[in-house]
Amino acid sequence: MLKIAINRPVTILMTFLGLLIFGVISIFTMPINLYPNVDIPLVKITTFANADLSYVESQITKKLENQISGVSQIKRISSKSFNNLSVIVVEFELGKDLEIAVNDIREKISKMKLEYPPSVEKVSSDAGAVMSIFISSKQLDDKALMQIIEDDIEGDFQRIKGVGEVKMVGYLKNNIKIDLNLDELNKYHINSLDVAKLIKMQNFKTFLGSIENEAKNITIKGYFDSNSIEELEQLRIAPGVFLKDVADISIGYTLKDSYAHFNGDNGVLVELKKITGQNSLEVAKNIKQALIGIQDYHKNIEFEVVYDKSENITKHINQVVFDMCLGVILTILIVFLFLRNISATIIASIAIPTSIISSFFLIDLFGYDLNRLTLIALTLSIGIFVDDAIVVIENISKKIKAEKNALYASYEGIKDIAFSVFSISIVLLCVFIPISFMNSISGLFFNTLGMSVAFGVIISFLVCVFLVPTISARFLNVKESKFHDNTEKYFTRLEQWYENTLDTILEYKKIFIGIIFILCALSFSLAPKIGLDFLPMEDDSELQVQIESKKDLSIEVMEAKSLEVLKQIKENKNVDYAYLLVGYDDAKDRKKSKIYVKLKPLNERTERQKEVVSNLRDSLSLKEFKIKVLEIPKFEGAGIDEPVQFVLLGDDFSSLVSASRRAKNILSELKGVVDISDDIDAYADVLAIYIDKEKARKLNVNTQELAGIIQTSFAHANVGVLDGLKDSKDIFIQLEKVSKEDMKSLEKIQIRTMDNNLISLLNVVNIRLIKDSSSINRLNKTRSVKITAGVDRVSLDEVKAKLETNMSKIMQNTGLRYTFTGFIDLLEETMIGFAMVMLLSFLLIYLVLAALYESFIVPFVIMITMPLAFAGACIGLYLTGNTFSLFVLVALILLFGMVGKNAILLIDVANKLCDSGVGVKEALKIAGKSRIRAILMTTIAMIFAMLPLAISHGAGYESNSPMAVAVISGLISSTILTLFAIPAIYEVCYKLDRKLKRIYKRDLI
């Protein structure tokens, strides 16, 4: 196979040219995202019910939870019950097919007999908002604007290619409003329920049967409905009394349940979500193109793009591409400074773009997308790509100088070094193969980086074994320049110094080995002090501010108070713009609002996002309101807004509330924990109506009809549909605004007894103003209270340790249970997965190295480089003030694969010399002297390839820099210690290795 590289140059060239072509095609056709496709399978079950909170929890939420809990692969069931609404979110294990999950849930629910049918829908975390557009108009009133949005604009957005869902906040649907005049009703001795029944009786369409004979079949339909407001007004309510006599009928919104505000205007925020799996950049491009046509058609409406996910993706991708290109240039420069040969440098440089571009083809072929982590992986691998090429070129160059025949020398050169290159590649692959066993969110990050590097390693091996020898045999010029001759003496002195130093080390090897292990132990002791986070806050020039009231209030008051906070935010010099949303969630909760804040570009402000967040936390204030300043969630739909999420579980709500208070107090003791809150909602003001059953029985009152009268008076009840020529609108009935806002209106309401007599409502009911819960939270079928917090200069593992240390104080023998969710839960999952990957990788590396070297001892010598690298990484992170995070752990996996190569290069030569009869000490000195240039060159090339990631302060710096620092410091420590510690350890282990070989090694006679 190796001769193909020499004898078939055109075949080799065409093969790699084909890989490059397909690689380029893949770059332009692959889906592009910021992070790997973290598609968390979520299913939402929503039930709207005409019932109070206790009924919703006991008869809907609990029953649904019990019914669906038997579905396979459920990870977590969380629910929230409100008056009239139940929302259950079922999270499945990663890998569960979302379509199957939805079908399983629907099948379970179909077997239930529920009064109110629930709706089941998929909530793909990958189908997040790609773009948000604020729609307003200075020429049109609200009614006209909402009508245009309903008739035209919503449909236009839904037709855009790649858009899956159009969600609107602040949109108020135009309906038919019937506002009853309570005094007029009483005047004509009728009530709201009477009116509702009469409207339903006189305004309907229905199927009436069919006429069938031998010739034809004719359907009979009854059209007894109104087609205009004028016809509705003429509906007869009583003899001589029409609907217009007791009510005002108009078109408009019946209830303002959400609100959007931007740049001084009220309007509608339209969130456009992409279809799962679609290219975010492509969808954003389609939306922008379609928006041009929509704007041209609606000249009197303003469209403002206030959020564009593609900007953030492009910014991060461009930054990583820039760092990659700069890393390639620096790597080529280092290679030239060591080789000091232009032809050799060019050949070595060819390996880098060939390996990178060809890797994209394999990445695309195996179904991965192009994301930030993919590019970072290939950036970190630049050193690996050039490393193998350098080793091959250097060996071929020596052979050409000795043999003179370039073709034969190239063959001999690759033949001599192929085993070492193969060993290094196999070791690298052994590090990344176990990653495929991780089935978690963090595992997707590990998997993306690992497989990207693995594909690069495979291509790099093929480049070095086939392409490099082909080119070297024909274009490698071994004639040295004057620059080479003038600088060679420095490298010769380096080799001589290393040989002398190695001689001293081998003389006192046991002492030196002891010193090394002591230094490593001291370095390892730094690890607990470094801290552990999941993902650091990055400067994406955007953040969110959440405002929550613990008191029940109207949406108008929440709107006014939130605007005060919005004004404070806009006064910050780092803020570009911000918009406000009230009632933005499924429940249209008026006690919560959210402000999206867009910061100025990084080059236009003096503070990074982390400092801006910290300053806003200190400056924003609103009496009796809780304000939280958070980064935009990295995984949409997964419920991971706040880093710290500690959940208390139990059936006794009062115990949960008390324990929550104690947990918040303990968290407040830890400096750096901010925005401490819980999800115990405010107690709502409830006007409780109690029926006097004895009076009701005596007066012959129908309780159900009594409830219907109150409901049609105050709950904007739906009583039918008005079908116009263009569209249809729902008809809602309630008391006029003046009466509806006054509690004394209840005193005026008249009810009809079953004897057809009218009596006052107060004759049979007692009315009291009480406090009651506005919602109930549950997790895994148990009542829960979630305590959330942010972190500022304190690691997540410190927060977790603080809570666990004080758990007895929090629980106080109440029988409650607890769990962690969010980033802390992911952090524990990540560490377990990382430990599993490392153990399995070490095992595979040992198995492979033992097989390659036919030795039980040599693999241990090579694998010692891994803890030596970890020691350096700990020192680097500690000195720079960084913490362990998901990105750092991912980089450490790569580091452990990279550092073994130096030991393999050194030991491979020493083994061959020892087998040929050279003494172990002399063999190590010869091997070290012959390999020191290659080891230093490849290591420094790797370091300079990652230097842009380490020192760049652009997009993604907060994650990229610690990762590069860990790899660079690990490479430095492992290389230094490999050059000095590995020879000493090898000599100590050599005798034991030979003794063991005598037991099992036999030569074939």
Side-chain angles (χ1 to χ4, degrees), residues 203 205 225-228 721-729 731:
N203 184 70
K205 292 178 184 177
D225 60 324
S226 303
N227 294 313
S228 65
V721 176
L722 179 70
D723 274 332
L725 296 175
K726 290 184 178 181
D727 57 6
S728 62
K729 297 187 184 301
I731 302 172

Side-chain angles (χ1 to χ4, degrees), residues 408-446:
Y408 182 75
S410 295
Y411 171 69
E412 287 296 318
I414 185 60
K415 184 180 177 183
D416 285 351
I417 205 70
F419 182 78
S420 294
V421 174
F422 179 73
S423 301
I424 292 169
S425 300
I426 290 295
V427 166
L428 283 164
L429 292 176
C430 285
V431 171
F432 302 118
I433 288 172
I435 292 175
S436 60
F437 291 95
M438 293 182 68
N439 187 29
S440 61
I441 290 176
S442 52
L444 293 172
F445 280 74
F446 283 109

Side-chain angles (χ1 to χ4, degrees), residues 257-327:
D257 57 2
S258 65
Y259 168 85
H261 181 95
F262 170 70
N263 206 21
D265 295 322
N266 293 348
V268 178
L269 183 83
V270 181
E271 293 181 350
L272 303 176
K273 299 186 177 184
K274 72 183 182 77
I275 298 170
T276 303
Q278 290 287 314
N279 188 330
S280 299
L281 297 185
E282 193 67 32
V283 175
K285 181 182 175 183
N286 295 341
I287 294 170
K288 289 174 184 175
Q289 288 176 344
L291 190 58
I292 295 171
I294 296 171
Q295 286 176 312
D296 289 341
Y297 187 75
H298 299 285
K299 297 288 188 182
N300 54 355
I301 297 176
E302 287 82 45
F303 298 84
E304 200 69 47
V305 177
V306 292
Y307 171 75
D308 185 355
K309 189 177 183 179
S310 65
E311 288 182 358
N312 199 29
I313 295 174
T314 304
K315 178 176 66 176
H316 278 280
I317 297 295
N318 289 343
Q319 182 65 50
V320 179
V321 169
F322 174 79
D323 292 339
M324 177 190 285
C325 294
L326 184 56

Side-chain angles (χ1 to χ4, degrees), residues 56-322:
V56 169
E57 185 203 19
S58 62
Q59 298 302 311
I60 298 175
T61 304
K62 283 185 176 180
K63 286 184 176 181
L64 284 171
E65 287 175 345
N66 291 332
Q67 183 71 9
I68 65 176
S69 60
V71 175
S72 64
Q73 291 183 271
I74 288 180
K75 181 179 180 181
R76 188 178 291 125
I77 301 174
S78 55
S79 67
K80 193 156 189 169
S81 301
F82 305 86
N83 287 308
N84 302 327
L85 175 65
S86 166
V87 179
I88 301 173
V89 177
V90 185
E91 180 184 346
F92 288 85
E93 299 286 349
L94 287 180
K96 176 81 172 184
D97 187 278
L98 201 51
E99 288 291 343
I100 295 174
V102 170
N103 291 335
D104 288 347
I105 295 285
R106 284 177 178 153
E107 184 182 350
K108 287 284 186 182
I109 292 176
S110 66
K111 298 175 183 177
M112 301 175 67
K113 293 182 179 179
L114 293 171
E115 184 179 356
Y116 303 100
S119 65
V120 181
E121 61 182 312
K122 297 178 288 186
V123 185
S124 174
S125 55
D126 176 47
V130 171
M131 194 173 290
S132 296
I133 301 169
F134 187 83
I135 302 176
S136 61
S137 176
K138 291 181 172 62
Q139 289 82 30
L140 303 175
D141 60 16
D142 285 349
K143 185 171 71 173
L145 177 63
M146 300 305 166
Q147 193 63 54
I148 293 173
I149 291 173
E150 181 183 2
D151 294 343
D152 300 325
I153 296 174
E154 184 180 9
D156 291 339
F157 284 139
Q158 287 173 334
R159 285 188 289 271
I160 297 173
K161 185 179 178 181
V163 172
E165 181 187 351
V166 178
K167 180 183 176 183
M168 294 186 285
V169 180
Y171 171 71
L172 306 170
K173 182 174 173 60
N174 285 327
N175 294 300
I176 304 300
K177 298 194 303 174
I178 298 178
D179 295 329
L180 300 171
N181 185 306
L182 186 55
D183 292 330
E184 291 297 321
L185 290 176
N186 291 337
K187 173 182 173 183
Y188 294 112
H189 306 295
I190 54 179
N191 57 50
S192 59
L193 186 61
D194 293 334
V195 176
K197 287 178 179 178
L198 288 166
I199 292 173
K200 289 179 180 180
M201 288 171 59
Q202 299 184 53
N203 184 70
F204 65 93
K205 292 178 184 177
T206 186
F207 170 74
L208 299 174
S210 60
I211 296 174
E212 298 182 33
N213 54 45
E214 294 179 357
K216 60 181 67 177
N217 186 325
I218 302 174
T219 301
I220 305 173
K221 288 185 180 179
Y223 294 88
F224 309 123
D225 60 324
S226 303
N227 294 313
S228 65
I229 290 179
E230 289 72 23
E231 288 186 35
L232 270 180
E233 289 177 336
Q234 297 302 318
L235 289 180
R236 193 179 299 277
I237 302 300
V241 181
F242 300 96
L243 183 58
K244 65 180 182 180
D245 297 326
V246 296
D248 177 53
I249 307 170
S250 62
I251 297 176
Y253 63 88
T254 54
L255 178 68
K256 186 175 184 180
D257 57 2
S258 65
Y259 168 85
H261 181 95
F262 170 70
N263 206 21
D265 295 322
N266 293 348
V268 178
L269 183 83
V270 181
E271 293 181 350
L272 303 176
K273 299 186 177 184
K274 72 183 182 77
I275 298 170
T276 303
Q278 290 287 314
N279 188 330
S280 299
L281 297 185
E282 193 67 32
V283 175
K285 181 182 175 183
N286 295 341
I287 294 170
K288 289 174 184 175
Q289 288 176 344
L291 190 58
I292 295 171
I294 296 171
Q295 286 176 312
D296 289 341
Y297 187 75
H298 299 285
K299 297 288 188 182
N300 54 355
I301 297 176
E302 287 82 45
F303 298 84
E304 200 69 47
V305 177
V306 292
Y307 171 75
D308 185 355
K309 189 177 183 179
S310 65
E311 288 182 358
N312 199 29
I313 295 174
T314 304
K315 178 176 66 176
H316 278 280
I317 297 295
N318 289 343
Q319 182 65 50
V320 179
V321 169
F322 174 79

